Amino acid sequence: MARPTFYITTPIYYPSDRLHIGHAYTTVAADAMARFKRMTGHDVWFLTGSDEHGQKIERAARARGLAPKAYVDEIVAGFKDLWARLDISYDDFIRTTEPRHTRVVAAIFTRLYEQGDIYKATYEGWYCTPCETFWAEARLVDGNCPDCGRPVELVREESYFFRLAKYADRLLEHIARHPEFIQPETRRNEVVSFVKMGLEDLCVSRTTFNWGIQVPFDPRHVVYVWIDALTNYISALGYGTPDDELFRKFWPADVHLVGKDIIRFHCIIWPILLMALGIELPRRVVGHGWLLLESGKMSKSKGNVVDPMVLMDRYGVDAIRYYLLRELPPGGDGYYSEDNLVARINTDLANDLGNLLSRLTAMAAKYQDGAIEPPAAYEDLDQDLVDLAVGTPGEMARLMDAFDLPGALAAVWRLVNRANKYIEETAPWALAREGRRDRLATVLYNLAEAYRFATVMLMPFMPGLAPRVWAQLGLADRPDLTAWDALQWGRLPAGVRIKRGAPLFPRIEAAK
Ligand code: MSP
C-alpha cells in the first residue's frame, strides 16, 4: 500500500541579513514535524528556501557594494550552513532566483492577466520597504507603517493589480467550511475579520526597482514580492511544467508553517491566488508566535539579535533544538533568555533525561555486570510505569497533529519523570543489598524499556540524541527496536549489554 504523503513547508527567508534564533525556530519546528511524519510511515516532502527579490535586498546589496545576485549567493550559503548545523532534514531548498521558479511565476502572472484577474491601473499609496507592503493612508499610524512603525514612502506609479476583492466571499466560505485551514483559532478569527473589513485589489508589480522577476508582457515591471514568494510552494514541485510529478504527488500541502506576521499573506493572498488558478488550497496554515527578547522582537536595527551558531557552539545542537521547541507555546509568543536556556538544559536535559540514563547504566554495571536481564512477575508499581509508557506514543502523536510541540515534549517528560520516580519507589540499591535478584532484574528491565520508549519519541526533536543513547543501551545495531513501530512494551530483548558512556548533557555551570 502506498504510504500517505505529507508535504510541509517553512517560509522562504529573506537573505537581507543573517538568520537569528527566531528564524531558526520556524525551521526547527517544521523539521521536527517532518521527522515525526517520516518515522510514523509518511512519504514526506519538506521544503525550505530563500526569498531573494525585492527592493530591500537590492538596497542591502548596494550598501555592501555588491550586485544583488552576488550578495544573496553569499547569504544563502550561510542559510544552508545554519540548516546543516541544526540538523534540518529538508528535501529541497528553493531559491526564488532559480529559473525553475522564475519561469513559473512569469507564466502564472501572464495567465492571470489573460483571464482578467490581473489588470493595469495607476497606483498611489504608501509603501513600507522593510515590510514590502502598501498601506492606505487611513491605516498609517502617526504617518508610519502600522506593522513595524517605520517611515513609509509615497509612491505613485503605474502598476498591475490582482483582483483580490472578487474572491473575498469564496475565501470566507472556504474558511468556514474548513475550520482546520487556519490554526490556531485566534489567527483564523483575525484573518476572517480582516477579510470582512473589505479587501482591496492588490498591487502586484513595481517599476521603481529592477531586482525581481520581469512581467513577461511588460518588461518595465517586476512582479511584486509576495506573488513571487508564495509561488515557491508550487514551483518547487514543478507545477505548470512537464516535470510536475512532485506536484501531482504532494500537492496540496499538508502544512505551511509560518510566523504570525505573515499569516495574512498565507491565508488571504495565497489561497486567492490558488483559487484564481484553479489549484486546490493547502490543508493547513499554522501560525506560530514570536520568540521575543525582553527588549522586544529581535531585529538587526535594535541590535538585539541572537545568533544560533554561537549558541550551538556553546551548548550543542540538540540542546538548542530542544529549548526552542519546548519554550514557544503553540500559537503564542515566548521569551528568550540565556538564563532560561541554561535552566532548561540543566533541569530537563542534564537532570531529568541525562541522569536517568546514567543511573540506569550505573546500576546495570554494578548489580548485573552490565546486562539487562529478563523481567520476572510485575507488581502494580511496574504496571503503572508500563501503562504510562504504552499510552505516551498515542498521546504524543495527537499533540503533534495539533502542532503542539511543547505539549508533545511534556508528554515524553512525564514518562521520563515517572521513570525517575520509579527508581525512588523501587530502590534498586536496597533490592541488591537484600539479594532480591529477580525483582532487581525486573526494575532495571522496565527502566531500560521506558528509556527506549522515551528516546524513540525524542528522535524528531533531538536527532543527535538517539545514537548516543543506543550506544549505551546496546541497541546501536538494532533499527528494528529503535523505530516508531517498535514501541511495544517488552520488545527489548533480555541480554542486551549496557555500556556506560559520558553524560548525555553535562550540567552548565553558572560561570559560563
Ligand atoms: N520572505 C518572507 C516569507 C515568504 S514565505 C512565502 C519573510 N521572510 S523573513 O525572513 O522575514 O521571515 C521568515 C519567518 O521567520 C517568518 O515566519 C517569521 O515569522 C519568522 N521569524 C522572524 N523573526 C522571528 C522571531 N523573533 N520569532 C519567531 N519567528 C520569527 O517573512
Side-chain angles (χ1 to χ4, degrees):
M1 211 180 70
R3 289 178 297 158
T5 58
F6 187 82
Y7 178 32
I8 182 167
T9 66
T10 72
I12 50 174
Y13 299 90
Y14 288 128
S16 49
D17 215 327
R18 292 165 55 115
L19 298 180
H20 58 62
I21 192 86
H23 303 110
Y25 169 76
T26 314
T27 300
V28 168
D31 182 66
M33 187 55 78
R35 286 174 182 273
F36 173 71
K37 288 291 172 183
R38 277 190 209 108
M39 79 187 284
T40 52
H42 294 74
D43 190 350
V44 171
W45 197 254
F46 173 17
L47 177 71
T48 188
S50 47
D51 186 0
E52 307 189 3
H53 292 126
Q55 191 165 23
K56 189 161 64 169
I57 309 271
E58 192 178 62
R59 285 182 182 169
R62 199 175 304 139
R64 291 259 320 270
L66 290 172
K69 183 63 167 60
Y71 173 77
V72 293
D73 281 350
E74 188 186 311
I75 304 228
V76 169
F79 287 8
K80 291 185 176 176
D81 287 345
L82 176 61
W83 301 148
R85 185 75 202 286
L86 269 168
D87 266 334
I88 304 302
S89 62
Y90 59 80
D91 294 291
D92 192 9
F93 188 109
I94 180 117
R95 300 183 55 177
T96 55
T97 49
E98 289 175 272
R100 64 169 172 152
H101 175 76
T102 57
R103 274 200 289 266
V104 175
V105 172
I108 285 177
F109 201 94
T110 305
R111 186 171 143 200
L112 292 173
Y113 180 67
E114 284 169 355
Q115 74 187 38
D117 278 326
I118 283 180
Y119 61 93
K120 199 177 197 175
T122 297
Y123 180 82
E124 190 177 284
W126 298 91
Y127 187 68
C128 174
T129 305
C131 296
E132 314 258 16
T133 304
F134 289 98
W135 296 104
E137 182 139 0
R139 304 281 308 262
L140 301 180
V141 176
D142 299 331
N144 292 321
C145 172
D147 267 359
C148 73
R150 282 177 279 208
V152 287
E153 296 166 52
L154 183 63
V155 260
R156 180 167 209 288
E157 57 181 275
E158 194 179 59
S159 291
Y160 287 91
F161 286 83
F162 176 48
R163 295 191 194 281
L164 273 193
K166 170 179 157 189
Y167 290 92
D169 289 341
R170 266 181 72 187
L171 177 64
L172 286 173
E173 196 185 307
H174 181 85
I175 296 172
R177 281 225 196 115
H178 301 272
E180 74 293 345
F181 175 54
I182 305 171
Q183 289 178 12
E185 202 180 322
T186 48
R187 300 281 163 242
R188 177 167 72 242
N189 297 339
E190 182 189 299
V191 168
V192 168
S193 45
F194 191 87
V195 177
K196 284 188 173 158
M197 266 162 44
L199 291 181
E200 284 170 35
D201 286 350
L202 177 73
C203 173
V204 290
S205 78
R206 306 297 315 277
T207 51
T208 49
F209 62 93
N210 294 317
W211 180 239
I213 301 171
Q214 259 184 10
V215 172
F217 50 87
D218 193 349
R220 273 193 329 115
H221 291 256
V222 298
V223 177
Y224 168 65
V225 283
W226 277 97
I227 297 283
D228 175 349
L230 290 160
T231 301
N232 91 87
Y233 300 130
I234 54 174
S235 68
L237 300 180
Y239 166 78
T241 73
D243 191 11
D244 65 351
E245 208 176 299
L246 288 172
F247 179 76
R248 282 185 283 120
K249 180 170 177 186
F250 287 107
W251 193 262
D254 292 272
V255 180
H256 292 311
L257 182 65
V258 301
K260 63 181 183 181
D261 50 324
I262 58 174
I263 199 96
R264 268 188 234 152
F265 297 100
H266 284 80
C267 298
I268 299 175
I269 302 179
W270 181 226
I272 290 182
L273 192 65
L274 291 168
M275 282 176 185
L277 293 167
I279 301 175
E280 240 186 293
L281 304 197
R283 295 210 169 90
R284 285 202 283 172
V285 178
V286 176
H288 64 72
W290 283 337
L291 193 61
L292 300 167
L293 300 173
E294 300 294 334
S295 50
K297 197 179 178 216
M298 251 168 267
S299 77
K300 177 95 185 243
S301 50
K302 284 193 196 146
N304 61 357
V305 169
V306 179
D307 183 346
M309 285 290 199
V310 172
L311 292 184
M312 283 188 282
D313 287 343
R314 213 173 284 167
Y315 302 110
V317 178
D318 282 334
I320 298 305
R321 287 179 58 115
Y322 174 78
Y323 171 77
L324 289 172
L325 298 176
R326 185 75 193 244
E327 208 58 26
L328 221 63
D333 295 337
Y335 281 91
Y336 168 83
S337 82
E338 197 157 348
D339 288 347
N340 233 309
L341 166 64
V342 169
R344 279 267 178 224
I345 294 175
N346 284 344
T347 309
D348 300 3
L349 298 179
N351 273 358
D352 298 347
L353 187 67
N355 274 349
L356 179 57
L357 184 67
S358 304
R359 293 166 90 188
L360 161 64
T361 54
M363 292 189 292
K366 189 164 169 199
Y367 305 136
Q368 297 186 163
D369 200 23
I372 291 298
E373 293 179 357
Y378 275 7
E379 298 177 3
D380 285 351
L381 195 56
D382 307 322
Q383 202 53 50
D384 202 40
L385 176 70
V386 176
D387 289 347
L388 184 64
V390 168
T392 305
E395 169 77 349
M396 173 189 157
R398 188 184 63 73
L399 289 158
M400 291 300 280
D401 285 334
F403 238 101
D404 181 357
L405 306 182
L409 281 167
V412 180
W413 249 258
R414 280 194 291 279
L415 174 61
V416 167
N417 285 330
R418 184 68 193 82
N420 274 315
K421 190 164 151 234
Y422 178 79
I423 298 183
E424 304 313 318
E425 291 166 341
T426 54
W429 46 91
L431 298 174
R433 208 168 44 231
E434 293 157 15
R436 294 174 60 195
R437 296 203 61 88
D438 278 2
R439 182 71 196 134
L440 182 61
T442 308
V443 167
L444 295 188
Y445 180 89
N446 288 344
L447 284 170
E449 191 55 328
Y451 212 86
R452 183 177 72 92
F453 269 59
T455 306
V456 169
M457 288 186 273
L458 290 176
M459 286 162 72
F461 302 97
M462 295 186 277
L465 174 73
R468 299 199 294 141
V469 173
W470 304 145
Q472 297 200 33
L473 288 185
L475 295 175
D477 304 315
R478 298 300 304 268
D480 56 320
L481 296 177
T482 54
W484 185 263
D485 287 345
L487 291 182
Q488 290 155 334
W489 191 267
R491 286 278 292 271
L492 181 73
V496 289
R497 302 295 307 176
I498 300 282
K499 213 171 130 225
R500 297 192 64 186
L504 293 177
F505 298 97
R507 271 191 76 81
I508 313 286
E509 296 313 328
K512 229 172 172 179

